[in-house]
Structures are given as C-alpha cells and as structure tokens.
Amino acid sequence: MTPQTILPLITLPLEDPILKFMLIMAIVLGAPLLLNRLKIPYLLGLIIAGAVIGPNGFNLVLRDSSIILSGTAGLLYIMFLSGLEMDMNDFKRNGWRSAVFGLYTFAVPMLFGIVAGHYILGYSLYSSILLAGLFASQTLIAYPIVSRLGITRDRAVTIAVGGTIITDILALMVLTVVVGLATGQADTGFWYRFGASVVACVAAILLLFPLIGRWFFKRCSDNVSQYVFVLVMVFLGAYLAQLAGLEPIIGAFLAGLAMNRLIPGTSPLMNRIEFVGNAIFIPFFLIGVGMLIDYRAFFKSWESIEVSIVMIVMVTAAKYIAACLTQKTFRLSRDQRTLLFGLSSAHVAATLAAVMVGYNVVLGRTPEGEPIRLLNEAVLNGTILMILATCTISTFASQRGAHNIAIKGVQGPGERTTGEHVLIPVSRQEKIAELVGLSIALTKQKYRSLYALNVIDNQSEDPELKKRSQSLLETAVTAAAAADIHMHSLLRYDVNTVNAIVSAVRERNITDLVLGMHENSPGPNVQIPGIPTAATTAALGKTLQAVLAQCAVTTFIYHSAQPLPTIRRHHVVVPRKAELEAGFQAWLLRIRHLAHDTGAQLIFHAPKTTVEHLRGRRRRKDIAQYAVCEETWDNPAALLPELRNDDCLWVVMSRRDRISYQAGMYRIPAYLDENMADHSFVLVYPVQAGHAEQQGIFHMNLG
C-alpha cells in the first residue's frame, strides 16, 4: 500500500517513531475514558483500537518489527505476571485441580476440533488434529482484569492459570508431533531429543532462577537494577523454552513461578513490575493483536466464512463445557465458573503460533502447482476472526465473573473492620527501608495505616537537626510509596523519644509498633518496671526498654541481616501459655500474613500444649509446620532452633510477671545481639493483660 500524504510532513502509514508512539499512548490514555461510558471492557477496546488503526483498518500504523517486539514483550509479561502473582501455597494445594481443569480444557476442545475438522469441514486426519490443537490452546488475555480487581488469589484464577499452562503445553506438543508425523521427521531420536530438552528447560528455570535471584537481591538494592534484572530473567526463561521446542510463553510463566517467593505482592519491586506492564507492555500487545484482525476475510470466500463460524461456535462451546465440568467437579460458584470460562476462552498466542506453523508446512503440490498445506488459507483467515470473537467473549465473561467475585469479597460475612495502625519510629537512614518493608508485610492493605515518626529534642535549636529528621521521614514515605502505599509522616518535638512514641501511640490509636534493634551504646543501665535486668537493657537499650514498659501494643523489634523477600523460612519460638495472653491472636495473624505474602515457610516451635492450640487456630490455607520443643529459656543456645543462612528467627517474648513469662527470657536479647548478628531476627512483645496498669509508672527524662 503506497503511503498517503495528509500533511506536508505526515504520511500514512506513519513512519515517524515519535508520532507512532504518541498515537499508541494516546489510545492507551483515551480508551478507558471512552469505553467506560460505552461499558466496553478496557482490554477489548484496545484490541478494537488496534484493528481500527492497523493495516486492515485506516492504515495509520503498520504492524512492523517495533510493534511485534513490544507485543511479544507484552504477552511474555502477562504470562510472567500470572506466575508471579500466583499464591504458591494455593498452587500446591490446587495443583491437582489445575491438572484436572487442564485436561478438561484440552480434551473437550480436542474432541470438538477433530469432529469439526474431519466430519464437518472434511479435512484430513492430521489437519483435523492440528485444528483441534488450535481449539485446545488458550491465552490469559483477560488476566489484567482479575489483577486490577485484586482477586488473583481466588481459587478459580489459580485453577485457570495452572490449567492454561497444562493445556498449552499439551496443545503445542500436539503441534510438534503432528508436524513431525506429517513430514516424516518423528523418528525415535526426535522423541528423545524433545523429552530431554523439555526436562532440562523446566529444571533450569525452576531450580536455577531462584538461586540466581536470591543471590542478586541480597547484593543489589538499586531499584532500576532490580527491575532490569527481572526483565532479563523473563526473556531468558522465554528463550530457554524456545530452545527446548516449547512456546516462549511457557518459559515466561515458569520464570514467574521461580521468582514468586522473591517478589512479594506488596513489595516496591512488584509495584514497579505491574505499573510498567499495565502502562506499556500489555497495551502494546493488545493493540498488536487488534492489528491482526482483517474484517475483509469475511468477503474473500464462502469457505473462510464457513470455517470461521464453525471454529468460533465449536471452540466456545468446548471451553464452556470444560468450565462447567470443572465447576461440578470442584463445587465452584457460578461466578467462578464464569471467570474460569472467561480466562480460558481467549485464543491468541499459542493459537497464532500453531496456525502459522501449520500454514507454512507444505505437504505437496496440486497438478496446477498450488501448495497443499497442512492448514489452508481458510483456516488462517478463520483463526484471525476466531481471535477477535474469543477475545470479545473472554473479556466480557471475565469482567462479569471477576467483578461479582470482587464485590462478594468486599461484602463477605464476618468481615473484620478494625484498622491496623502501625507506627515506625525512624532514626537510622540505612534501616528505614527494611522497617517499612516488614510493616507492610505484616498487615493487610485494606486495613493498614502506616506512620513514620522522628523525634527532636524540644530544647534543640539546631536547624540541621530538623533537616535530618525531615530527610529520614521523606525516606520512609518514599519507601512506602514505592509499594503504592501512603505513609503518614510525624515530626514531633518532645522531652525524649519515649514520651513522643507513647503520645503518638495514644493519639493515633496505634495497634503495632515496628522498631529497629538497638545498636548504639546504651549508657547507664536503667531499671524498668516489667522488664528489669542489666543484660536486657544492654542489648535493647534504655529507649526500647522504656517503650516496652509504657506502650500496650504489639511490638516488633527487628534486626535485619538480609532483605525480607530473600528469607526462605521463618522460625517462631513461642513460650508456654502464650495462647492465654490477650495479644496472642494479633501477633499470630501478623506473622501468618507475612509468611503468606512472602511465600516463605513458617515453622512454629513451642511446648506441646501450645502447639496443639496453634494447630487449632489454623486457617484453611495454613500450611505452617509445628515442632514440639522443651523449654530451656535459661540456655538460649538449646532453646533456639538451628538456623540456615536464609532463615529468620522470631522469638515471642513476655514482660515480667505476665502469664507466659519465663525466668530466662532476659537472656534472649543479649544472646541474639551477640551470637546472631548474621541472621535476621525479630523480638515480638504482644499485648498482655494488666500491661496498661504500668503506663505512667515509668516517666523520666531519658534525654
């Protein structure tokens, strides 16, 4: 098509990269504003926009190498996000459900496809099996919908994502085998090579990627470098899959699974990954898909129309039946069935790959010299139209099911309404990011309010001191903002830090305190009501001691030796009778939420009666481990579990004369401070009955 000049410096299709990029970003920006009024799903709107501006529409933009590159990156990004955002505990628990759904959504479309190709359209057996493979494959094009609505960990989503990988692998294997059989290349060596390469690829990604990622994140804290590293791992996984004879989308998904535990859902890195994907990569992919759609295919021949109608009807019916079978098998709700159908009904990536391979395989030639293809031009045109139809059905069905599930989740019975107000006193620049990260991981997003506090002596007149305090608070605000979370900053003038913290706790209804472990010289020992002894004071410092004595809130004292997402296991040492304390449920919920958010293993160590109580408080999704241990608080080395390099230790403490207090507890802070500097550990001081009576007893000027 010859370029058309519409202005002296502008020709169609656009060749200036600035104008091309500006047009696409304008579509990404304007599509939601227009489509919200028309009640058209955002994803479908981008596909339609791609069809309008593409070579088969107004020919504003060609589907050139830049669009293909960005679209390929977007597709890999979708698959990577689906693996990254998956709840690994649910995935393990629902793995067999994903396998069953994967078999349903593969077998039913395969049956329908063979019937449609061989008996309705009259194709050869090999062509019919390959057509059935097109029916079986699917693309998670609607995954951004569930991601935006925050239901990526719903059971239907987990089943759909896992099932998609299974059915795509099987469909692509069918493609490889049929092409090999049709061309006479499927000898014995072919099967050995293919099996060995697939096993080697999966093992390399799932075993080596976590090791490489953990090593990198421990040594690099630069935000840009971490994001670029993630992109490298995504494309490396995709390339390894391609080398093994699989589709790159499989490698991208496996890379997401491999990096899952290293990138928590509430981390700043995850926020950056989702932001860039939703703003750039995924819209480019959807617009690129739209550019493939050629409405003129309807008018090329009756065969193209017939094939496209048969393909659309049969594949939609097959995917819906597979979703219904899964619903009946696992007793899912109607909305979950709708969501399952929506996520599994779109055909883009693997379908395009398969049809292009089949179209390019020439089995012979007619007497007139025309090529006899494994899949003819009518199937190619029908596939393009099927992509448009299935993407439309997928987005509407997913939008409806996901929206209903999200609404029910918000309005669920027995929903807790109490807030989680976390106060983070900050004094050392290098520790702020880890304290903020722990605070975010301990709490649920829809309940949390975070406060950063810095204290200035009210008698100080040094202007530099105020600048330093403001800098510390800005660092905390920035650390929270990187995870898309608002942090309240509090700058207080007071006679000492303890009074400022106690006042902030009362004024802001603080429920949790997160503090860094004391690292400076403690000065003279001070006898604190509730937690005496010089050894403890020397380890914690007099400020932390006084805060513990006066603040009746759950308190976490954190020593960070490595980034929280790189922790493999959390060992929690619980004293006898801890279950009888008033704050038992609060700290237990926090630690379980942290383990669930980071995907790390959780191991409780406690006396037998306490272990039985912990087991009784398990939730349905809890997969924590429990170890019965004998209490020897006088000998911390015998009490504490043996730790590996990537373990974090949690010790649930008690104030003196409370129900769970053990005589040797005063040794723990000093022991950890001296012997476990290379490990991350947290001292947990729960809310305890009678603790409020102590408030006001200890009030002295510690400045």
Side-chain angles (χ1 to χ4, degrees):
M1 187 175 293
T2 58
Q4 302 173 355
T5 302
I6 57 176
L7 286 176
L9 298 178
I10 301 178
T11 59
L12 295 180
L14 297 175
E15 296 181 355
D16 189 329
I18 297 176
L19 290 177
K20 289 169 62 177
F21 192 81
M22 182 188 69
L23 174 63
I24 293 175
M25 296 314 297
I27 291 173
V28 175
L29 175 64
L33 302 177
L34 175 63
L35 299 175
N36 285 342
R37 296 185 177 182
L38 301 177
K39 296 185 178 180
I40 297 176
Y42 174 69
L43 303 184
L44 178 59
L46 291 179
I47 295 174
I48 295 174
V52 171
I53 69 172
N56 300 314
F58 290 108
N59 196 34
L60 300 180
V61 179
L62 290 177
R63 194 173 188 271
D64 55 16
S65 58
S66 62
I67 299 296
I68 295 173
L69 174 63
S70 302
T72 301
L75 175 59
L76 297 179
Y77 219 92
I78 290 176
M79 297 306 298
F80 175 73
L81 274 176
S82 64
L84 194 62
E85 294 182 339
M86 184 174 291
D87 186 330
M88 292 304 295
N89 295 331
D90 273 355
F91 185 63
K92 290 179 180 179
R93 190 165 41 251
N94 292 313
W96 68 279
R97 292 185 175 91
S98 295
V100 171
F101 172 65
L103 293 176
Y104 280 154
T105 196
F106 171 77
V108 176
M110 282 293 295
L111 176 62
F112 277 50
I114 293 174
V115 170
H118 196 60
Y119 296 101
I120 297 178
L121 300 176
Y123 293 156
S124 67
L125 183 60
Y126 284 153
S127 297
S128 300
I129 294 175
L130 192 54
L131 180 67
L134 302 184
F135 285 16
S137 64
Q138 57 197 46
T139 303
L140 291 172
I141 194 174
Y143 187 82
I145 292 176
V146 301
S147 181
R148 289 187 177 187
L149 291 174
I151 60 168
T152 56
R153 297 191 172 187
D154 184 81
R155 186 166 58 158
V157 178
T158 302
I159 292 173
V161 172
T164 296
I165 297 304
I166 292 171
T167 190
D168 278 352
I169 290 175
L170 294 175
L172 293 170
M173 284 184 176
V174 167
L175 168 66
T176 304
V177 171
V178 169
V179 171
L181 291 173
T183 57
Q185 298 176 354
D187 55 7
T188 304
F190 165 82
W191 296 107
Y192 286 122
R193 289 192 302 272
F194 181 68
S197 60
V198 170
V199 172
C201 168
V202 174
I205 295 176
L206 295 183
L207 298 179
L208 294 181
F209 277 31
L211 297 177
I212 298 172
R214 184 169 280 103
W215 176 87
F216 182 84
F217 289 135
K218 281 184 179 180
R219 288 160 178 79
C220 179
S221 58
D222 179 69
N223 296 334
V224 175
S225 297
Q226 287 185 347
Y227 180 76
V228 173
F229 170 77
V230 169
L231 287 184
V232 170
M233 301 307 286
V234 173
F235 287 93
L236 178 59
Y239 181 67
L240 291 177
Q242 186 172 320
L243 288 180
L246 298 173
E247 270 296 296
I249 57 175
I250 306 299
F253 174 77
L254 293 176
L257 288 183
M259 304 294 288
N260 183 285
R261 298 190 185 278
L262 298 175
I263 308 176
T266 55
S267 66
L269 180 57
M270 175 63 94
N271 184 55
R272 285 188 286 272
I273 291 172
E274 291 181 336
F275 175 80
V276 176
N278 291 328
I280 303 293
F281 289 118
I282 295 175
F284 265 88
F285 164 67
L286 297 172
I287 292 174
V289 169
M291 290 182 178
L292 291 171
I293 297 170
D294 185 3
Y295 63 90
R296 291 170 295 187
F298 276 117
F299 308 104
K300 288 185 177 180
S301 67
W302 167 249
E303 185 181 4
S304 294
I305 298 176
E306 179 188 13
V307 170
S308 61
I309 293 175
V310 170
M311 292 177 69
I312 293 170
V313 172
M314 296 294 278
V315 75
T316 303
K319 291 296 182 180
Y320 184 76
I321 291 173
C324 290
L325 290 174
T326 307
Q327 179 200 13
K328 298 297 183 183
T329 302
F330 304 123
R331 299 181 180 179
L332 302 178
S333 67
R334 294 180 62 184
D335 291 326
Q336 287 177 315
R337 180 197 65 196
T338 302
L339 179 58
L340 201 62
F341 167 66
L343 289 172
S344 63
S345 58
H347 293 68
V348 181
T351 305
L352 278 176
V355 74
M356 292 307 299
V357 170
Y359 181 75
N360 291 327
V361 173
V362 178
L363 303 177
R365 293 189 178 274
T366 64
E368 294 79 16
E370 294 294 326
I372 301 175
R373 303 180 184 275
L374 191 57
L375 293 178
N376 60 24
E377 188 176 0
V379 176
L380 179 62
N381 293 331
T383 301
I384 300 300
L385 296 175
M386 184 183 73
I387 288 173
L388 173 60
T390 57
C391 287
T392 302
I393 295 170
S394 173
T395 49
F396 275 107
S398 299
Q399 181 84 16
R400 179 180 178 183
H403 181 267
N404 291 343
I405 291 173
I407 292 296
K408 291 178 180 178
V410 172
Q411 299 176 347
E415 188 69 48
R416 186 176 52 156
T417 58
T418 57
E420 297 173 348
H421 304 277
V422 184
L423 180 66
I424 312 166
V426 294
S427 59
R428 295 193 300 276
Q429 191 92 22
E430 68 276 7
K431 298 296 182 182
I432 292 177
E434 287 301 317
L435 292 176
V436 172
L438 179 67
S439 303
I440 293 173
L442 286 170
T443 53
K444 293 186 177 181
Q445 184 166 356
K446 61 182 178 180
Y447 300 122
R448 76 166 69 100
S449 295
L450 301 183
Y451 300 86
L453 170 68
N454 187 263
V455 184
I456 300 177
D457 189 337
N458 60 6
Q459 297 180 355
S460 174
E461 299 180 357
D462 185 1
E464 293 299 322
L465 194 60
K466 183 176 180 180
K467 289 182 180 179
R468 179 181 177 276
S469 296
Q470 290 175 335
S471 175
L472 291 172
L473 294 174
E474 288 175 2
T475 301
V477 171
T478 302
D484 199 22
I485 295 170
H486 176 65
M487 170 80 76
H488 305 270
S489 60
L490 306 175
L491 178 61
R492 298 185 70 104
Y493 289 85
D494 212 316
V495 294
N496 59 56
T497 302
V498 177
N499 284 346
I501 293 175
V502 172
S503 298
V505 166
R506 294 173 179 174
E507 293 168 5
R508 305 285 175 168
N509 294 320
I510 297 300
T511 58
D512 301 83
L513 264 175
V514 177
L515 307 106
M517 189 71 177
H518 174 72
E519 293 184 3
N520 299 317
S521 175
N525 292 338
V526 180
Q527 187 77 9
I528 307 297
I531 313 176
T533 77
T536 305
T537 305
L540 293 179
K542 59 184 179 181
T543 299
L544 288 182
Q545 288 278 21
V547 168
L548 289 171
Q550 296 192 65
C551 291
V553 297
T554 306
T555 304
F556 302 89
I557 302 176
Y558 183 33
H559 168 76
S560 173
Q562 67 182 77
L564 188 63
T566 64
I567 298 295
R568 290 176 182 268
R569 303 187 305 174
H570 292 279
H571 293 268
V572 186
V573 178
V574 186
R576 178 168 42 88
K577 298 183 180 180
E579 68 274 13
L580 302 179
E581 299 284 9
F584 172 77
Q585 188 66 17
W587 67 257
L588 182 60
L589 286 173
R590 301 288 191 270
I591 293 178
R592 281 178 169 164
H593 182 267
L594 177 139
H596 185 267
D597 184 62
T598 60
Q601 188 177 2
L602 185 60
I603 306 172
F604 290 97
H605 303 263
K608 183 177 180 180
T609 54
T610 303
V611 165
E612 292 175 353
H613 192 85
L614 287 167
R615 289 181 184 275
R617 292 296 184 98
R618 283 184 302 178
R619 293 183 169 184
R620 182 178 59 86
K621 295 183 178 182
D622 182 26
I623 59 171
Q625 297 181 14
Y626 302 87
V628 177
C629 66
E630 296 299 328
E631 291 189 310
T632 54
W633 290 88
D634 289 332
N635 182 10
L639 171 72
L640 303 179
E642 187 173 332
L643 301 181
R644 302 173 186 170
N645 290 335
D646 296 324
D647 290 351
C648 179
L649 176 67
W650 298 67
V651 183
V652 180
M653 303 288 284
S654 173
R655 298 161 179 87
R656 177 178 276 273
D657 297 331
R658 296 298 172 259
I659 298 173
S660 61
Y661 181 75
Q662 308 296 317
M665 278 187 176
Y666 73 91
R667 302 175 185 270
I668 298 298
Y671 179 84
L672 297 180
D673 191 43
E674 295 175 4
N675 299 282
M676 298 192 61
D678 295 335
H679 285 86
S680 294
F681 61 83
V682 185
L683 298 174
V684 182
Y685 288 87
V687 175
Q688 297 177 291
H691 181 214
E693 298 171 1
Q694 293 181 4
Q695 296 186 24
I697 294 178
F698 183 78
H699 185 81
M700 62 175 63
N701 190 337
L702 299 174

